Amino acid sequence: KNEVEQSPQNLTAQEGEFITINCSYSVGISALHWLQQHPGGGIVSLFMLSSGKKKHGRLIATINIQEKHSSLHITASHPRDSAVYICAVRSGGSRLTFGEGTQLTVNP
Amino acid sequence: EPEVTQTPSHQVTQMGQEVILRCVPISNHLYFYWYRQILGQKVEFLVSFYNNEISEKSEIFDDQFSVERPDGSNFTLKIRSTKLEDSAMYFCASSEGRAAGYTFGSGTRLTVV
């Protein structure tokens, strides 16, 4: 069983829709990261969370430590949001353990 | 905004050859990392580096791999005697502290033929 599970694997939405991507993990963690990977391959850090909720523009990330679950929400989605969204956890030391990613496609 | 710079962006090498992937982390960052992503798979941790030594490494990071910070600004990953299965995107990252957020480089796509 993977330590970090994401759902869905693929998500297609229409422009303007509210999007939710989920991440569950099986180990105790010190922090959870949400990352964005564009088609060219580059990785951009979106959020680092250890509790509660963070917001940046149209992106919102929440985490429930007791339930070992985090969600990434995108409000008013736009085609430029199309990318792979990756959840990664730090459980000990400084290394990150990555999920498989969620491929998001937003159609105009 | 400060960036992590990786060179080259693409490298093709013959099986058995040595390659050196280069990274310039953000200047005030203290922790440096290498990760790799085989095509179609998830990103995997290779190694972390702090205070001029390896602080953590994965099972993937065997004797074929080595890291170095030769001059206070560059951070390199050397792969000796490359194998076909080393073909992947290699990402460098840095962070201010052990518990701080990461900044990733744009990656080096290594193809071993």
Side-chain angles (χ1 to χ4, degrees), chain B:
Chain B
E1 184 158 337
E3 286 185 344
V4 174
T5 304
Q6 287 187 247
T7 55
S9 55
H10 294 90
Q11 178 143 6
V12 181
T13 190
Q14 295 273 349
M15 192 167 58
Q17 295 295 303
E18 175 182 287
V19 294
I20 297 176
L21 310 183
R22 300 180 194 279
C23 170
V24 180
I26 293 173
S27 61
N28 65 334
H29 284 189
L30 301 176
Y31 283 79
F32 315 118
Y33 312 89
W34 284 101
Y35 287 81
R36 79 171 185 191
Q37 186 178 32
I38 294 169
L39 188 64
Q41 297 187 21
K42 62 184 178 180
V43 178
E44 302 172 289
F45 170 77
L46 291 177
V47 67
S48 61
F49 192 86
Y50 169 72
N51 202 25
N52 285 320
E53 61 184 23
I54 290 173
S55 53
E56 200 175 350
K57 62 181 180 178
S58 72
E59 319 67 53
I60 304 167
F61 194 89
D62 59 22
D63 292 343
Q64 183 198 6
F65 294 90
S66 62
V67 289
E68 197 176 32
R69 188 153 162 81
D71 57 15
S73 62
N74 289 284
F75 179 52
T76 62
L77 175 69
K78 183 189 292 186
I79 311 174
R80 286 182 275 277
S81 190
T82 48
K83 307 183 198 103
L84 295 176
E85 54 265 37
D86 294 326
S87 295
M89 181 78 101
Y90 287 81
F91 291 101
C92 174
S94 68
S95 65
E96 275 186 273
R98 194 163 160 269
Y102 276 47
T103 302
F104 285 85
S106 53
T108 293
R109 185 168 297 284
L110 176 67
T111 303
V112 182
V113 297

Side-chain angles (χ1 to χ4, degrees), chain A residues 38-76:
Chain A
H38 282 282
I43 295 174
V44 174
S45 185
L46 299 175
F47 294 104
M48 184 178 70
L49 293 164
S50 53
S51 64
K53 176 177 168 177
K54 285 191 176 179
K55 184 175 190 289
H56 186 255
R58 294 180 296 106
L59 301 178
I60 303 165
T62 64
I63 188 167
N64 185 319
I65 296 292
Q66 287 73 30
E67 294 187 5
K68 293 188 167 62
H69 182 268
S70 176
S71 294
L72 177 69
H73 306 286
I74 305 175
T75 61

